[in-house]
Amino acid sequence: MPGLLPLARRVALAAVRCGRGCCGLGMFYAVRRGRRTGVFPTWNECKAQVDRFPAARFKKFATEDEAWAFVRNSVSPDGSEGQKNTRVQESQVKVGKRLREPLEEDEDESSEPSAKYVRKDTEPAPAVAKDTFSYMGDAVVVYTDGCCSRNGRRRARAGMGVYWGPGHPLNIGIRLPGRQTNQRAEIHAACKAIEQAKAQNISKLVLYTDSMFTINGITNWVQGWKKNGWKTSTGKEVTNKEDFVQLEELARGMDIQWMHVPGHSGFVGNEEADRLAREGAQQAED
């Protein structure tokens, strides 16, 4: 009979832990940044909120209290700050890789989460806080780049990259639609940056690119081409007419300072835009 008391005590404690979600009968999936934020009882419900959502933030917890502490980014039940919990890596969405269920609280993640995001252009990006951008005066700074493997040959693959800063949710690397050339990729990378800027109500940009063709085209040649009926000085049709028409329309009403940066010269913004463009070129065409 005396031996039954410790057993009864252990059963009672186990029941309490189960009631709080700690006995493995259920986990709590916390979404701090996603289509909907909150705590969800299943991985599928959590995945629906974070899959392909830019810079999503989510974790799996054994207790509902800890999950809500993470969502609110408040002090966790053990007294430590939610952002400083070193035992749990915060899961991040990377498009192009299978979205994995986050680890449990006492499991280790061997790799550091990357601060670089690649997001496919599947839906409008949510508003981003103004203080997450880099500024030159009152203008927002952005780097763009385009690339094309096998340029001018069969099976060419072109991509465009837009880089706003380290770990920025608007950083993007996508495949160039249509004709696959390096010059088109450069032009449309600038188009994508301007589209993103307009979606964030940004009207002043400092746009860095290593393409003098794009800069000269939009700041100088376009006006002459338009006067000549979109023909060059030699009377030939402008090859990239549709591309520059789109760029000019997007730039209308914007205050854009076009800045040239030498390619592959160690400038971080240009190198990152190039990396994103190369990743975009590896994607399948839509």
Side-chain angles (χ1 to χ4, degrees):
M1 186 69 178
L4 294 178
L5 291 178
L7 176 62
R9 185 171 180 271
R10 287 197 299 270
V11 171
L13 288 174
V16 171
R17 285 197 296 269
C18 286
R20 295 177 61 186
C22 298
C23 66
L25 294 179
M27 301 301 296
F28 297 89
Y29 299 86
V31 177
R32 188 159 70 198
R33 180 184 171 91
R35 293 178 181 87
R36 287 175 53 206
T37 60
V39 176
F40 300 89
T42 68
W43 165 235
N44 285 338
E45 289 175 275
C46 172
K47 183 179 179 181
Q49 312 311 320
V50 300
D51 193 14
R52 297 186 183 277
F53 189 89
R57 298 288 189 274
F58 57 101
K59 286 183 187 177
K60 180 167 68 174
F61 292 92
T63 70
E64 189 172 6
D65 287 345
E66 290 172 309
W68 278 113
F70 173 78
V71 172
R72 301 186 185 105
N73 196 25
S74 60
V75 177
S76 62
D78 63 0
S80 61
E81 290 185 12
Q83 285 186 318
K84 296 180 180 179
N85 187 348
T86 58
R87 289 199 300 162
V88 184
Q89 293 279 353
E90 191 170 313
S91 299
Q92 299 179 356
V93 174
K94 286 186 178 181
V95 174
K97 294 186 178 181
R98 183 173 63 87
L99 184 63
R100 297 184 304 166
E101 182 175 351
L103 298 174
E104 294 185 20
E105 186 178 7
D106 57 355
E107 292 178 307
D108 291 326
E109 177 69 78
S110 59
S111 60
E112 289 282 329
S114 174
K116 301 167 183 176
Y117 309 106
V118 181
R119 181 178 59 83
K120 280 191 176 180
D121 195 27
T122 56
E123 60 183 61
V128 177
K130 292 186 181 300
D131 60 1
T132 63
F133 294 99
S134 298
Y135 288 85
M136 183 180 292
D138 57 349
V140 175
V141 175
V142 64
Y143 288 81
T144 70
D145 201 6
C147 72
C148 184
S149 60
R150 300 179 61 85
N151 189 42
R153 293 180 288 173
R154 293 181 58 188
R155 296 189 296 276
R157 300 182 68 94
M160 44 190 177
V162 181
Y163 180 74
W164 298 90
H168 202 283
L170 295 183
N171 290 350
I172 187 170
I174 54 177
R175 182 75 179 270
L176 175 71
R179 189 163 50 92
Q180 303 288 285
T181 73
N182 186 72
Q183 289 181 341
R184 288 194 71 243
E186 296 281 9
I187 296 169
H188 284 277
C191 287
K192 176 55 66 178
I194 298 171
E195 286 177 355
Q196 290 180 307
K198 285 188 169 183
Q200 300 297 323
N201 294 317
I202 295 169
S203 60
K204 298 187 70 173
L205 273 182
V206 175
L207 193 151
Y208 282 92
T209 173
D210 59 15
S211 172
M212 283 304 302
F213 175 77
T214 301
I215 295 175
N216 286 331
I218 192 62
T219 62
N220 187 17
W221 299 337
V222 162
Q223 299 307 316
W225 289 336
K226 289 168 69 176
K227 289 179 181 178
N228 292 337
W230 285 98
K231 294 184 184 297
T232 67
S233 58
T234 59
K236 295 181 179 180
E237 296 288 337
V238 175
T239 304
N240 296 101
K241 173 185 174 181
E242 292 80 7
D243 309 309
F244 276 112
V245 166
Q246 182 177 346
L247 181 58
E248 186 192 30
E249 289 177 353
L250 284 167
R252 197 170 297 147
M254 294 282 289
D255 183 354
I256 303 176
Q257 185 176 354
W258 297 88
M259 302 287 288
H260 180 254
V261 58
H264 308 291
S265 299
F267 292 91
V268 173
N270 176 254
E271 296 293 337
E272 288 298 297
D274 174 71
R275 178 187 62 79
L276 290 166
R278 285 185 283 106
E279 290 182 358
Q282 298 305 310
Q283 297 172 8
E285 284 190 277
D286 292 333

